[in-house]
Amino acid sequence: MIDDGTALFTIGELARATGLTVRTIRYWSDEGALPPVTRSAGGYRLYDAGSVARLELIHTLRELGLGLDDVRKVLAGERTVAEVAAAHVAALDAQIRSLKVTRAVLSTVARRGSTAEEMTLMNKLARLSAAERRRIVEDFMAEIFDGLDTADPDIRTRLRFAAAELPDDPTPEQVDAWVELAELIQDPDFRALMRRMVEFNAADRGPEVPAGTSLWFMSRLVQLAGEALRKGISPDAPEADDVLRGLLGNADRAAVLERLTAASNARVARYRELSAIVNGLERQPAHEEEFSWVVAALRAHPDR
């Protein structure tokens, strides 16, 4: 401090008082964030008590990650600290989301033992924009439902929900599931399988069949097959034929067998599992035992 009653500080004195380096204070001063109030006869920059308070604020804002441009705007009154803080919260949220994506991709690579090419694909899929992810889902829905206007609308609604978009703030598990789900719904063989399921559904429905009927049938299947399993009825036992009649009536059993074989496909089950993860839902039971029982019973009792 210059002892002339003016209480002015040199950069060196500011550095000793604040614990900052002379180089840092000089840089902030050169950038206009901490202008000197005057200069000494020898040309040295001098600062007053207000400069000390200003320096402490600059230090705090810089520690919080604000750039000097934002710091200058706050100090000039062009922006409030709250406005700048809100903008930086949004920026940090974006960085956190990006880090979560990176972590999920690397975790998947480590678990799968992926090649460099697979890692590149996973990273690309995980970092798609919301619009690009939505396009993948819409392409999938368009291909499997194109021209099948008689398909149960409840099936369309459920599949659209299941072909979920990645949330804005996903967990690593959701990113991992989305990557696998995106690969799955873009696979031509899987699309053909799902298309065949929808074609079966569309062929079964007449114009007066209410929406949700096919979902009711699946619920009924799980209920009746579950009861048969609990009673210990073998699929090839005569009693199994009675269960099938109660479930199917006079329907073509060969056609039902074909449909159930498609619906109980392992890849379809994985699709449902991944969808639950991406949507943040508890994994729903696949009812594999019930479906397997009905398939086995249809094979053992093919005739109506």
Side-chain angles (χ1 to χ4, degrees):
M1 183 186 303
I2 296 179
D3 190 14
D4 60 0
T6 59
L8 296 176
F9 303 83
T10 65
I11 286 182
E13 288 168 334
L14 283 181
R16 287 191 292 274
T18 61
L20 296 166
T21 66
V22 168
R23 183 176 182 179
T24 296
I25 297 174
R26 182 178 292 116
Y27 172 68
W28 289 348
S29 185
D30 290 342
E31 292 296 312
L34 187 69
V37 294
T38 188
R39 287 183 178 266
S40 69
Y44 292 102
R45 285 176 274 204
L46 300 176
Y47 304 87
D48 60 11
S51 301
V52 176
R54 187 182 182 97
L55 180 59
E56 290 175 348
L57 178 57
I58 295 170
H59 187 199
T60 299
L61 295 174
R62 292 291 287 157
E63 282 191 328
L64 290 173
L66 273 68
L68 279 178
D69 185 53
D70 282 327
V71 169
R72 283 193 297 267
K73 289 178 180 178
V74 169
L75 294 172
E78 298 173 13
R79 299 184 72 183
T80 67
V81 174
E83 289 171 341
V84 173
H88 277 261
V89 167
L92 286 172
D93 285 343
Q95 290 176 344
I96 291 169
R97 286 194 295 270
S98 179
L99 287 172
K100 286 182 176 181
V101 169
T102 300
R103 182 185 184 279
V105 170
L106 291 175
S107 297
T108 302
V109 169
R111 188 178 65 255
R112 292 185 183 181
S114 305
T115 64
E117 291 77 12
E118 289 172 330
M119 182 177 69
T120 299
L121 175 61
M122 283 188 291
N123 190 48
K124 179 180 178 181
L125 288 173
R127 294 185 184 281
L128 290 174
S129 69
E132 290 168 327
R133 294 196 300 267
R134 195 175 302 114
R135 179 186 55 77
I136 290 175
V137 172
E138 292 301 328
D139 285 350
F140 169 69
M141 294 294 296
E143 182 167 333
I144 64 175
F145 280 99
D146 182 43
L148 301 177
D149 297 333
T150 59
D152 192 331
D154 280 9
I155 296 292
R156 185 189 297 266
T157 300
R158 289 204 174 196
L159 283 180
R160 183 180 296 280
F161 176 76
E165 296 181 26
L166 189 65
D168 289 336
D169 187 18
T171 64
E173 292 76 16
Q174 285 175 311
V175 174
D176 194 2
W178 161 255
V179 169
E180 187 176 343
L181 185 64
E183 290 178 299
L184 187 61
I185 65 177
Q186 293 181 96
D187 180 81
D189 291 339
F190 180 73
R191 288 190 174 196
L193 172 64
M194 297 295 283
R195 169 78 180 186
R196 188 160 66 251
M197 288 175 53
V198 176
E199 287 173 341
F200 288 153
N201 180 266
D204 289 340
R205 293 187 76 245
E208 304 302 322
V209 176
T213 300
S214 53
L215 300 179
W216 175 87
F217 170 76
M218 290 300 181
S219 297
R220 178 75 171 157
L221 180 152
V222 170
Q223 176 193 352
L224 293 180
E227 291 175 359
L229 284 165
R230 285 190 291 274
K231 292 177 181 178
I233 298 175
S234 172
D236 57 2
E239 295 88 344
D241 188 52
D242 295 333
V243 175
L244 291 178
R245 278 199 300 273
L247 175 65
L248 305 175
N250 295 323
D252 184 341
R253 293 189 180 185
V256 173
L257 177 60
E258 186 179 8
R259 288 156 173 71
L260 288 182
T261 301
S264 59
N265 183 280
R267 300 187 81 193
V268 176
R270 182 58 176 164
Y271 170 78
R272 297 191 187 104
E273 183 179 16
L274 292 170
S275 299
I277 296 172
V278 175
N279 281 299
L281 303 174
E282 291 186 10
R283 301 184 187 187
Q284 300 299 309
H287 300 295
E288 293 180 7
E289 280 190 279
E290 291 87 347
F291 275 93
S292 296
W293 188 93
V294 174
V295 168
L298 286 169
R299 287 172 175 158
H301 307 279
D303 299 323
R304 286 178 287 171

